[in-house]
Amino acid sequence: MSLKASCGSQRRSLCSLLAGREIKKPKLEDGQRLQEAAVQLLDQHQNLCSLFQEQENPDPCHMFGSQNQAASESNPRHVSGQLLGRELRRQADRQGISVGAVSVKTMLDRLKEITGRQEEDRQREMFTSSQRVQLQVLLESSKQLLSQGVLCPKLLWVEYRRDQKLPNLELVYFLHLYNILTLDYIVESDEGIGSWLPGQLKALCCWTPPQEEEETKQVQQKVLSTTVGVLVAAERKISVLDELLLWLLDIEEERGEGAERWIQTLDASLCGASVSPEALQRFFTHCLTQIFTCNPRLTVSDAVTLQNEWTIAKASRCLTSLYCKLTVIFSVEQLLHHLQQVLETHEVNWKHVLVFVSTLLVYDQLAQSSLRELLSRLLSSAFEGYDLEKLITAFLLARQGALEGAGVFPSYSHWFKMSFGGRSGFHAGSKKSLVFLLKFLSDLVPFEPPQYLKVHILHPPYVPPKHRSLLMEYVTLAKTRLADLKESVEDMGLYEEVSAAGASVQSQAAHDVEKAVCLFESTGKISATVMEASIFRRPYFLTRFLPALLKPRALPLKPDAQMNFIEALKKAEKIPVAQFSQYVESCQKRRQQNESAERLDPREDPLDVLKVQLQEFTELLSGGHDGETSAQLSRISHSLSVIFPGSPDEPIRAVAVTLNTDTPPLPDLHLKVVNLILQNFCQSLLITSRGSPPNKQSLWGSRFVCLLLDNRQLLSSLIHRLWNLFHHQAASLSSAHILGLAAFMVHLQASSAVSPLVQLAPPGRPQPVPLVEALSSAVLSSTRTNMLFSVRLAVAAVCYGLCRGDSVSPLQQLQQDFIPCSLYKKLLYLIPRLFPAARRRPDGQQEDSPTLRWSCIAHDGTNWTKTVMHLWRHAAFQQLQQLHQYQLCLSEWLHDELRVQRNEDVLSDTQRQEYQQWACWELYLPRPEEQGGCGGDSRKLCAHLLTAILEQSPRDLNLENLDCSPGSSGTCLPDLLSRLQEVVYEAERSDRADLGNFLLQLVSQRCSSSSGSFSSKLGLQRTVLAWNRVLLALPAGIFFNIKTEGGRRSLDCSQLVEHINQHQRKVCPAATVLPCALTAHLLKGLLYAAGRCGHPAGELNQAWSQMSTTCPLLVVSAVRWWQQLSPVLVSLWTRLRDAEPLPEQLQLLSACRRWAHSLSPGPVVQMPPAAVLVRAASLHEAFRGGEEHQQNFRAVLDSLDPEREAEHQQVLVSLLFLYMKDFLSELLDPQAKSSEKSKSFCSELLAVLVNSADWLLLFRSNEPEPNPVTLTASDDCSRLMPWAVCSLLLQQSAEFHQRALCCPGFLHSALLWYLSVVQLFLDGDTPPSSASQQKVEPAQIMDRTKQFALSLIWQAPPAALSSSQLRQLQSCCADLDPELAAALSVHLDPHSLSPEMDFL
């Protein structure tokens, strides 16, 4: 109310007016008179509506105080309220109506004035700030009237509803807030609330206040939450909220602000303040029921068909957010129990139900086990009562869980196999249960997506043999359905592994190719499955398998496993020529053009979508929204499946992922995606580490990694990128990169149970290895730069793993799940190597908390060296060494040490020597064997050192490169050879006489493990070559034992002789002997050992005489190199025996050499009394010289006429074998231009020996006492000798053949040689041959040899073979050459055979 003073037009309030007229101290009578005067004034001049507005401006004297005490004690608003109340009563009396009616009318008129401007702005749903202030003043006055009993709230609402069909919800809220009309009363009393309140709530939700009106936004949220709280408490009016819920479900796909605002209103913390927990639970339960049963239009068959489209990644975010709000106050068990009740009692909307299951699984990790239990209960109940509804419910729920990926729920094929694949399956109790299951599966066939049909066919339910026909009926039906879907059985693949998401035919064929290549790489043969498919499943093989195998790509320079597999199929004539030619041309074009991966439409670039999603994921992490991060990861997974399509999740664990370490770079798109993923992971780690240590963080990292493991193609690209980063770009990685990648490795380790194995290609190891171990093998420790990177990466990984282990449990057996043992072992190797202080044993002062160490790494990357030593002394770090898998054994340490490049080592030569001596003598020698040490046994230390050296690359083991100087470059092999020499020297000082035998036995065990394959033979050659390298570095005398019998010390060479005959002989080529250096070393060892005996010369003579028969290879080698060895050995013997002459047997070597060279024109020296083998080897060596010696060869043979002396014959027989070795060597080298001197010598010798049967015995492999000279040839040489003999006989004259047939046993031997050649030809071992400078194919040699054998049979007399010889030959020929067997039967009359020849 406003008044005008008589003195002017200034507007003053009633309070000011009253205060201004107070000029003296008031008395009680004065106050009464003053009130009466004021009433008279109001009655004459004022409007009641304006009076409600009077309290808007408070009195200044009341705000700032007054000198008048009486005025300060009086409340102007109270006085105004009293005056207003009296005036309303007076007006009511005057008009003859109730005071309540007058007050209500006056208040409504004022409301119309306030809300009039809002009606002008139809788009505005709430008051402005000025309107809200006026309304609050009005309500404050009304509240005073209510306290005086002047205002009737019920009448106010009745009159207001009569004028307003759609009440203003904000006004209703303020009436409730000022306790004039509560919402509870309005909800209970207003019968038409259902007609206006839902609409008002919708309008208020959909209206967005202007950006600058922050107060309006807060009031809007309060209005909504207060209204919902009252409605929830008043359960009888719950239908109002039901209408809002249905509206929300109708607009869920639009993702508008109205829907999000309404979902936010349902937050338990907002509307739960005024509602009891029980009422809130009932309301949320009711909402879930309404959602589940809303619009149940979809049938079960629709759900089966469309289920793939209802994953959380494809569902509307509005619906999933609503589920999150409604489920937050319940446990998983409560939610699933309620879901089961609804499913059993209502018709449901399957889309809403299944999206709810996905949301529950993604947002709550405990949901998986609870859902499994529910499925088990459903299946048990279904088969007990043959309840079809429960059975289909179980199938739908299991499939829905599987659709979310292996990180959330097991795959459908796994669930189906576990539920029905065995004798304990739910259906295995009776035939009725089996029929029930098969009938159910048959009914689903018309609606089933193909991937589920494939699961049922590939992993059928268990069926007893007697009911097999029932299963076959279903299989036939399923295959027919697949054919109708154009996914016939032919398209099911060779190694079918079906994912829950359904792999395409192309992806299945790609999977078949990958597994076939993997099997070929491991076995070296084309798998039987592929060979059968090329015959019996030819349509799939030609139209699916081969196109996937021959997909154009940039071929690597070095053939990989796939190229070798293609070549093998081509040789087997399984690839059409035109198709192969087209593949080669396409690959060449791809290499020339260097095309990148095909990109999608840039307007829908999935890379941009992925960038946004990853950025949102990081923001959610920083905000601490754990549930939302899981949902965001599902969306990221969907985007990745677009970029990396056709990669089902189940095959990823069935077949190892191939890591090609020398393949071309990744396609551009894949490289960008992988870099984006790794960059986002590192960024997320840094953000989360700023707020809390790893043990206080959520499980976002594990979920992130599990997402990547679900996509095989993505995982392959990721592994290749990580390998490239670790192996080639380690020096360019920053501290943030190292921290992020270290944490990534930890999460890969924690997910090892669900991650695939990795097969390195080219194979560094024969079997696939765990993923983390494969990646760790890329982290090198060979140079200074690599070592520093390895330490930093491993320290960060171990610190992070220790922290993550603490977050799960302080128990040690759980901590190891987070710490990669390969990176931990790198620290065990590198820390003592780089930090000498770490070589001292811990003093017991160990730290207990890894959190501080991680914070130092995460926030101060430059202080990592201090962190290393703190971590080394950490209690948990040291305790891990008690576990076997975390122990760095001696063999692993040697493997790492041999990979160090000496010229780029962080240690100097002296420092490296000190470190290696500490490791060998102080660390591993005393360490117990069960902890990877030697248990104090120096022989075991020798064994480990020798084994490590033998495994070195052949390029480091060249016998000609004996430079072991510390300053040379290359590996640390010379250093470890020095350590081995130190150990051997120590063992000699401790009188370990058996050390040489121990080393020989160790080498023998290693060589004996070789099989007969070509690769195994190469491995044997490599091992013996490496051993010879070591042998030359060790004292030769340790390999000759000194035994004492009866006080006499004698030489024992048996172990060395066995070693030479068993292993050295196997690796000698056909025409060679032991290397000169090795022969000299062994002979010097023999002299050293003999010098320690009582009679040195006598012991040496005796030992050397025995070697002529027991170790002919060493004897022949000594003869070959005697010209170089003689001065060295004479000098050594002179030093050992004080100028004593050389022992007789060694002098005979010189004598034989002089005799052999004297047989040329000139005075002939008398034949020395040496062993036959020594004389034959001397002749062989003498005629290796110039042409003048070769021209006199026939004359020498005449002088050694075997008919005059039997001893001469034995010399010539041995000489023949030595030349036959030379001849075979020339046959094995068709590229060499042979002078045919070996063939000439052999022919001359055969002409002399043709009448004797002794030479026939040289080439028989089954002789009980073979000629010693045959022990100079390797096993391969002996096996190929029949080929050489047949080749030589073919080139002899017919006269020679006639003479040979007269020799007893020649025909039998010749036919056995021919059969051996046939066997060699069938085995594919026949070598290429050259004769008369013209190359002859093996097949031609075979044909000529066969004709030669048949001609011998035709020319031979009937009694040329004994009965036993004939039976033997016929038995062999039956399989190898039936024609020869028939010739034997026809031309050799068995009745005329002579039994007297059986002794041959």
Side-chain angles (χ1 to χ4, degrees):
M1 178 177 125
S2 62
L3 296 173
K4 292 184 180 180
S6 59
C7 59
S9 61
Q10 184 181 3
R11 188 172 183 266
R12 302 177 65 189
S13 68
L14 176 64
C15 296
S16 300
L17 192 62
L18 293 176
R21 295 178 183 275
E22 184 177 4
I23 58 177
K24 62 181 179 178
K25 183 177 181 180
K27 297 180 181 180
L28 181 61
E29 295 81 2
D30 296 336
Q32 292 176 352
R33 289 196 299 268
L34 181 62
Q35 290 183 5
E36 292 174 357
V39 169
Q40 293 177 2
L41 184 64
L42 289 171
D43 184 38
Q44 295 174 3
H45 298 285
Q46 290 301 317
N47 186 336
L48 285 177
C49 293
S50 300
L51 186 60
F52 276 101
Q53 190 181 2
E54 186 59 29
Q55 298 186 54
E56 177 181 358
N57 296 321
D59 185 11
C61 66
H62 177 72
M63 294 178 62
F64 300 102
S66 174
Q67 295 178 358
N68 192 328
Q69 183 66 24
S72 64
E73 291 177 357
S74 63
N75 188 344
R77 294 192 179 190
H78 178 68
V79 172
S80 176
Q82 287 183 344
L83 293 176
L84 183 59
R86 288 183 182 183
E87 176 63 18
L88 290 173
R89 290 188 184 94
R90 195 179 65 81
Q91 291 283 357
D93 292 341
R94 177 183 299 175
Q95 298 176 13
I97 58 177
S98 66
V99 65
V102 175
S103 61
V104 167
K105 181 178 181 301
T106 306
M107 186 174 180
L108 291 177
D109 292 341
R110 177 60 183 153
L111 282 176
K112 288 182 179 180
E113 293 180 8
I114 296 174
T115 60
R117 283 170 290 177
Q118 184 183 7
E119 294 178 358
E120 297 175 0
D121 187 2
R122 298 289 183 181
Q123 296 180 352
R124 188 175 180 90
E125 297 293 338
M126 296 185 68
F127 297 128
T128 63
S129 298
S130 60
Q131 288 175 319
R132 197 172 294 114
V133 171
Q134 295 177 23
L135 179 63
Q136 291 173 347
V137 172
L138 174 62
L139 294 178
E140 186 65 34
S141 300
S142 301
K143 187 175 182 182
Q144 294 181 14
L145 293 177
L146 185 63
S147 65
Q148 299 175 29
V150 175
L151 181 65
C152 179
K154 297 181 180 179
L155 181 61
L156 175 64
W157 181 251
V158 172
E159 294 298 326
Y160 178 74
R161 286 286 286 122
R162 182 181 293 114
D163 295 338
Q164 300 287 337
K165 293 183 179 180
L166 295 177
N168 187 296
L169 194 56
E170 185 178 4
L171 174 61
V172 173
Y173 164 73
F174 278 109
L175 289 174
H176 172 83
L177 182 65
Y178 281 86
N179 205 22
I180 296 173
L181 268 174
T182 64
L183 276 168
D184 308 72
Y185 169 76
I186 296 175
V187 168
E188 294 293 336
S189 61
D190 193 340
E191 297 297 334
I193 191 172
S195 63
W196 63 269
L197 186 54
Q200 288 292 85
L201 286 172
K202 295 176 187 177
L204 189 59
C205 284
C206 294
W207 183 73
T208 302
Q211 188 68 28
E212 65 276 4
E213 296 186 19
E214 188 64 33
E215 179 188 2
T216 303
K217 296 178 182 178
Q218 297 176 2
V219 174
Q220 181 186 33
Q221 188 62 49
K222 291 180 181 178
V223 172
L224 291 173
S225 60
T226 304
T227 305
V228 171
V230 171
L231 290 173
V232 171
E235 298 184 19
R236 289 180 298 172
K237 300 296 182 178
I238 206 72
S239 60
V240 175
L241 295 177
D242 288 346
E243 185 174 343
L244 268 294
L245 183 62
L246 294 176
W247 164 73
L248 179 65
L249 294 176
D250 289 338
I251 66 170
E252 61 170 299
E253 298 296 338
E254 300 177 7
R255 294 181 60 183
E257 293 186 6
E260 295 181 359
R261 191 172 289 112
W262 179 248
I263 293 173
Q264 187 65 27
T265 304
L266 294 179
D267 194 298
S269 62
L270 295 178
C271 64
S274 59
V275 184
S276 65
E278 294 77 13
L280 191 62
Q281 285 190 358
R282 288 193 296 272
F283 170 65
F284 282 179
T285 302
H286 173 77
C287 289
L288 288 173
T289 304
Q290 291 296 106
I291 298 173
F292 294 157
T293 58
C294 172
N295 298 326
R297 299 186 302 270
L298 297 173
T299 63
V300 170
S301 60
D302 296 330
V304 172
T305 305
L306 302 175
Q307 190 173 7
N308 287 345
E309 302 299 322
W310 297 340
T311 61
I312 195 170
K314 299 178 181 179
S316 68
R317 188 172 299 189
C318 176
L319 183 59
T320 57
S321 300
L322 178 61
Y323 280 141
C324 291
K325 296 296 183 183
L326 297 178
T327 58
V328 69
I329 62 175
F330 300 101
S331 66
V332 176
E333 290 76 13
Q334 290 175 317
L335 293 170
L336 291 178
H337 177 69
H338 177 66
L339 175 63
Q340 184 178 3
Q341 288 182 331
V342 174
L343 290 171
E344 292 175 352
T345 57
H346 295 76
E347 291 291 330
V348 297
N349 184 318
W350 280 109
K351 177 181 178 181
H352 291 172
V353 168
L354 296 178
V355 171
F356 171 77
V357 173
S358 291
T359 305
L360 199 61
L361 287 170
V362 170
Y363 280 83
D364 195 331
Q365 290 189 331
L366 300 178
Q368 181 183 143
S369 59
S370 299
L371 181 58
R372 284 183 175 182
E373 295 174 1
L374 173 60
L375 293 175
S376 179
R377 292 195 302 269
L378 286 173
L379 290 176
S380 298
S381 178
F383 283 94
E384 288 176 3
Y386 301 103
D387 190 333
L388 192 61
E389 291 186 358
K390 291 183 179 179
L391 186 59
I392 186 60
T393 299
F395 270 75
L396 287 175
L397 296 184
R399 292 179 179 183
Q400 188 66 25
L403 286 173
E404 298 302 334
V408 175
F409 196 79
S411 65
Y412 175 72
S413 60
H414 176 79
W415 175 81
F416 190 81
K417 286 187 291 185
M418 292 299 101
S419 301
F420 307 106
R423 295 176 180 270
S424 59
F426 292 96
H427 68 297
S430 64
K431 179 182 179 182
K432 185 177 181 181
S433 298
L434 173 62
V435 173
F436 174 63
L437 174 64
L438 294 177
K439 175 68 168 53
F440 165 73
L441 294 177
S442 299
D443 293 340
L444 284 184
V445 166
F447 316 103
E448 289 267 46
Q451 68 267 21
Y452 299 122
L453 293 174
K454 294 177 182 180
V455 168
H456 302 158
I457 294 175
L458 291 172
H459 311 289
Y462 168 75
V463 175
K466 60 182 178 181
H467 302 315
R468 192 72 179 174
S469 60
L470 298 176
L471 175 62
M472 296 311 298
E473 291 178 4
Y474 168 75
V475 171
T476 302
L477 181 62
K479 289 184 177 180
T480 303
R481 174 59 179 166
L482 286 174
D484 295 340
L485 295 174
K486 297 183 179 179
E487 295 200 16
S488 64
V489 180
E490 292 296 335
D491 292 336
M492 289 172 58
L494 308 181
Y495 311 96
E496 184 90 16
E497 291 286 352
V498 183
S499 72
S504 65
V505 176
Q506 289 76 15
S507 65
Q508 181 58 54
H511 165 64
D512 289 341
V513 167
E514 186 169 2
K515 185 163 185 178
V517 171
C518 182
L519 292 175
F520 176 80
E521 187 176 10
S522 60
T523 63
K525 298 180 180 179
I526 304 173
S527 66
T529 304
V530 175
M531 298 299 291
E532 292 172 0
S534 67
I535 301 173
F536 302 109
R537 297 187 59 190
R538 194 163 181 80
Y540 175 81
F541 182 79
L542 293 177
T543 62
R544 302 296 185 191
F545 183 80
L546 284 184
L549 175 64
L550 302 178
K551 185 177 181 180
R553 63 186 182 119
L555 298 178
L557 297 178
K558 183 179 180 181
D560 57 6
Q562 183 172 345
M563 294 175 65
N564 294 332
F565 179 62
I566 292 173
E567 185 64 25
L569 285 176
K570 179 176 175 291
K571 289 182 178 179
E573 298 182 352
K574 298 300 181 182
I575 302 178
V577 177
Q579 192 173 8
F580 181 79
S581 300
Q582 183 180 5
Y583 165 71
V584 173
E585 293 177 2
S586 301
C587 291
Q588 291 174 349
K589 292 180 180 178
R590 180 64 60 90
R591 175 175 290 278
Q592 293 172 358
Q593 298 173 0
N594 194 19
E595 295 176 347
S596 59
E598 184 179 5
R599 295 295 302 269
L600 302 178
D601 187 351
R603 293 172 296 178
E604 299 178 357
D605 191 351
L607 185 60
D608 294 337
V609 176
L610 182 63
K611 287 180 181 178
V612 174
Q613 290 176 338
L614 289 173
Q615 183 62 34
E616 292 177 355
F617 174 75
T618 305
E619 294 172 357
L620 290 172
L621 274 181
S622 60
H625 305 290
D626 187 40
E628 287 295 331
T629 57
S630 298
Q632 186 68 12
L633 284 176
S634 296
R635 300 181 189 100
I636 293 172
S637 176
H638 177 69
S639 298
L640 290 173
S641 67
V642 175
I643 303 175
F644 298 92
S647 299
D649 63 326
E650 180 139 349
I652 198 167
R653 294 167 192 88
V655 182
V657 177
T658 301
L659 173 57
N660 296 303
T661 58
D662 55 357
T663 54
L666 293 174
D668 185 56
L669 175 61
H670 294 179
L671 181 62
K672 289 181 179 179
V673 172
V674 172
N675 287 343
L676 187 62
I677 291 173
L678 295 178
Q679 180 182 358
N680 180 265
F681 185 89
C682 296
Q683 182 182 1
S684 301
L685 178 75
L686 293 179
I687 290 175
T688 53
S689 296
R690 292 193 189 104
S692 57
N695 56 338
K696 302 296 183 182
Q697 297 176 14
S698 65
L699 300 178
W700 70 269
S702 299
R703 297 169 187 165
F704 192 101
V705 170
C706 287
L707 174 151
L708 304 177
L709 294 176
D710 282 343
N711 191 309
R712 184 182 187 86
Q713 188 181 6
L714 168 61
L715 181 62
S716 177
S717 298
L718 183 66
I719 294 174
H720 282 83
R721 180 57 177 153
L722 287 173
W723 173 277
N724 188 56
L725 286 174
F726 290 154
H727 199 71
H728 300 294
Q729 302 180 31
S732 62
L733 295 177
S734 65
S735 298
H737 292 145
I738 293 175
L739 290 178
L741 295 178
F744 193 83
M745 295 282 284
V746 170
H747 287 295
L748 285 176
Q749 171 71 19
S751 306
S752 57
V754 296
S755 62
L757 299 177
V758 176
Q759 178 65 63
L760 296 176
R765 301 183 186 181
Q767 298 297 329
V769 296
L771 195 155
V772 176
E773 186 176 348
L775 292 177
S776 299
S777 63
V779 183
L780 303 178
S781 302
S782 57
T783 65
R784 174 188 178 87
T785 303
N786 291 336
M787 289 180 189
L788 296 180
F789 168 75
S790 299
V791 169
R792 296 184 65 182
L793 179 71
V795 165
V798 172
C799 284
Y800 185 83
L802 289 174
C803 290
R804 292 299 302 175
D806 287 345
S807 67
V808 178
S809 170
L811 299 179
Q812 183 175 336
Q813 60 266 27
L814 293 178
Q815 262 189 347
Q816 63 187 343
D817 296 336
F818 295 88
I819 302 176
C821 59
S822 52
L823 293 181
Y824 180 85
K825 289 181 179 181
K826 286 189 180 295
L827 290 182
L828 294 182
Y829 170 68
L830 289 173
I831 292 181
R833 202 176 200 282
L834 302 179
F835 301 90
R839 300 172 193 172
R840 299 190 295 269
R841 295 185 179 277
D843 54 5
Q845 299 178 357
Q846 299 176 343
E847 297 183 6
D848 296 326
S849 176
T851 304
L852 179 61
R853 292 297 101 220
W854 171 253
S855 63
C856 292
I857 297 176
H859 302 130
D860 185 10
T862 60
N863 200 26
W864 68 272
T865 54
K866 294 182 180 179
T867 304
V868 171
M869 292 310 301
H870 283 294
L871 178 64
W872 182 258
R873 291 189 289 266
H874 192 273
F877 182 89
Q878 294 294 334
Q879 290 171 3
L880 281 175
Q881 293 192 63
Q882 304 303 319
L883 301 176
H884 176 72
Q885 64 268 33
Y886 288 96
Q887 294 171 356
L888 182 70
C889 62
L890 177 56
S891 58
E892 293 172 325
W893 178 85
L894 290 168
H895 177 271
D896 292 336
E897 192 68 14
L898 280 169
R899 297 306 181 272
V900 175
Q901 299 297 318
R902 304 172 77 244
N903 56 336
E904 298 184 49
D905 192 3
V906 69
L907 302 178
S908 65
D909 296 336
T910 304
Q911 291 172 337
R912 183 168 54 254
Q913 179 183 359
E914 294 175 355
Y915 163 68
Q916 291 178 353
Q917 289 176 341
W918 167 82
C920 291
W921 294 103
E922 299 182 34
L923 182 62
Y924 285 108
L925 181 60
R927 177 176 289 184
E929 289 187 58
E930 57 272 13
Q931 296 181 14
C934 302
D937 190 349
S938 59
R939 292 200 310 176
K940 290 186 172 58
L941 180 57
C942 274
H944 282 289
L945 287 167
L946 179 59
T947 301
I949 294 172
L950 294 183
E951 292 176 349
Q952 272 295 90
S953 174
R955 64 176 178 269
D956 299 323
L957 301 167
N958 187 2
L959 287 180
E960 304 300 328
N961 182 18
L962 303 181
D963 180 18
C964 297
S965 60
S968 61
S969 62
T971 68
C972 287
L973 174 64
D975 300 271
L976 291 184
L977 276 175
S978 299
R979 304 292 83 78
L980 179 61
Q981 290 172 330
E982 292 170 358
V983 177
V984 171
Y985 175 76
E986 184 71 19
E988 282 188 316
R989 294 290 299 271
S990 61
D991 198 20
R992 296 297 297 268
D994 59 343
L995 182 60
N997 290 345
F998 171 76
L999 294 177
L1000 291 175
Q1001 291 173 1
L1002 186 66
V1003 175
S1004 178
Q1005 293 174 2
R1006 188 175 182 86
C1007 295
S1008 300
S1009 61
S1010 302
S1011 61
S1013 64
F1014 180 74
S1015 60
S1016 181
K1017 292 176 182 177
L1018 290 178
L1020 175 62
Q1021 291 182 1
R1022 175 182 174 275
T1023 299
V1024 175
L1025 176 65
W1027 162 241
N1028 291 343
R1029 176 70 171 83
V1030 176
L1031 191 150
L1032 293 176
L1034 299 179
I1038 64 173
F1039 302 105
F1040 296 87
N1041 295 331
I1042 306 298
K1043 59 182 181 180
T1044 304
E1045 295 179 357
R1048 179 175 176 269
R1049 295 167 63 87
S1050 59
L1051 278 174
D1052 180 12
C1053 309
S1054 57
Q1055 289 288 340
L1056 180 63
V1057 168
E1058 181 180 358
H1059 168 73
I1060 294 175
N1061 289 335
Q1062 292 294 325
H1063 307 301
Q1064 297 285 353
R1065 182 177 61 88
K1066 289 182 179 180
V1067 300
C1068 279
T1072 59
V1073 291
L1074 296 178
C1076 179
L1078 181 61
T1079 305
H1081 194 67
L1082 294 177
L1083 290 180
K1084 287 191 289 185
L1086 178 62
L1087 266 62
Y1088 279 121
R1092 293 183 294 170
C1093 298
H1095 302 282
E1099 291 296 331
L1100 191 146
N1101 288 330
Q1102 182 178 357
W1104 191 255
S1105 298
Q1106 295 175 353
M1107 285 188 180
S1108 298
T1109 56
T1110 60
C1111 191
L1113 181 59
L1114 180 59
V1115 174
V1116 173
S1117 301
V1119 173
R1120 170 72 62 84
W1121 308 113
W1122 187 248
Q1123 185 176 4
Q1124 293 97 312
L1125 300 181
S1126 177
V1128 178
L1129 297 179
V1130 170
S1131 175
L1132 175 61
W1133 184 257
T1134 302
R1135 295 195 306 271
L1136 291 175
R1137 301 303 301 166
D1138 295 332
E1140 182 178 319
L1142 204 62
E1144 179 183 358
Q1145 288 297 324
L1146 297 184
Q1147 292 182 20
L1148 285 176
L1149 294 179
S1150 299
C1152 287
R1153 186 174 186 279
R1154 290 193 298 271
W1155 166 74
H1157 284 272
S1158 70
L1159 294 178
S1160 58
V1164 178
V1165 178
Q1166 184 179 1
M1167 180 184 296
V1172 170
L1173 180 62
V1174 174
R1175 285 179 282 179
S1178 299
L1179 286 173
H1180 182 257
E1181 171 61 21
F1183 285 94
R1184 287 171 57 88
E1187 294 293 334
E1188 65 278 3
H1189 296 288
Q1190 300 173 18
Q1191 294 173 358
N1192 298 322
F1193 187 70
R1194 183 65 186 182
V1196 172
L1197 294 183
D1198 293 337
S1199 64
L1200 297 175
D1201 187 1
E1203 296 181 359
R1204 290 183 296 180
E1205 293 188 28
E1207 189 175 6
H1208 290 177
Q1209 179 170 318
Q1210 295 301 320
V1211 172
L1212 295 180
V1213 168
S1214 298
L1215 183 60
L1216 173 63
F1217 190 85
L1218 294 177
Y1219 276 118
M1220 283 300 300
K1221 286 174 55 182
D1222 295 343
F1223 179 62
L1224 177 60
S1225 178
E1226 294 174 2
L1227 290 178
L1228 295 176
D1229 187 10
Q1231 302 298 330
K1233 294 183 178 180
S1234 173
S1235 62
E1236 299 190 4
K1237 64 177 183 180
S1238 299
K1239 185 190 76 172
S1240 174
F1241 289 158
C1242 292
S1243 299
E1244 296 289 352
L1245 285 167
L1246 283 179
V1248 175
L1249 298 172
V1250 65
N1251 297 324
S1252 170
D1254 291 344
W1255 70 277
L1256 299 175
L1257 303 179
L1258 287 174
F1259 309 109
R1260 291 187 181 180
S1261 58
N1262 56 352
E1263 286 298 317
E1265 295 183 2
N1267 192 313
V1269 73
T1270 60
L1271 295 179
T1272 63
S1274 64
D1275 294 342
D1276 289 337
C1277 178
S1278 299
R1279 192 164 57 89
L1280 294 173
M1281 194 60 75
W1283 177 270
V1285 175
C1286 289
S1287 299
L1288 181 64
L1289 292 177
L1290 285 175
Q1291 302 178 48
Q1292 303 304 311
S1293 63
E1295 180 185 358
F1296 174 83
H1297 295 160
Q1298 290 294 333
R1299 293 176 58 194
L1301 280 174
C1302 299
C1303 177
F1306 174 77
L1307 179 62
H1308 179 244
S1309 298
L1311 294 179
L1312 288 178
W1313 294 334
Y1314 164 71
L1315 293 177
S1316 297
V1317 171
V1318 174
Q1319 188 63 54
L1320 287 173
F1321 182 79
L1322 294 177
D1323 294 341
D1325 293 335
T1326 52
S1329 180
S1330 63
S1332 301
Q1333 307 298 330
Q1334 296 179 355
K1335 297 191 175 99
V1336 182
E1337 294 297 329
Q1340 298 176 355
I1341 297 291
M1342 274 297 307
D1343 185 61
R1344 294 180 184 179
T1345 306
K1346 181 175 182 178
Q1347 296 303 323
F1348 171 68
L1350 291 174
S1351 66
L1352 291 179
I1353 295 175
W1354 296 332
Q1355 299 175 30
L1361 295 175
S1362 67
S1363 58
S1364 61
Q1365 291 174 342
L1366 182 61
R1367 286 193 301 270
Q1368 177 190 9
L1369 291 173
Q1370 288 177 334
S1371 175
C1372 296
C1373 293
D1375 296 328
L1376 296 177
D1377 194 338
E1379 184 180 355
L1380 187 68
L1384 288 173
S1385 300
V1386 171
H1387 295 281
L1388 297 178
D1389 185 5
H1391 300 289
S1392 63
L1393 296 179
S1394 173
E1396 290 79 4
M1397 297 183 63
D1398 285 349
F1399 74 95
L1400 293 175

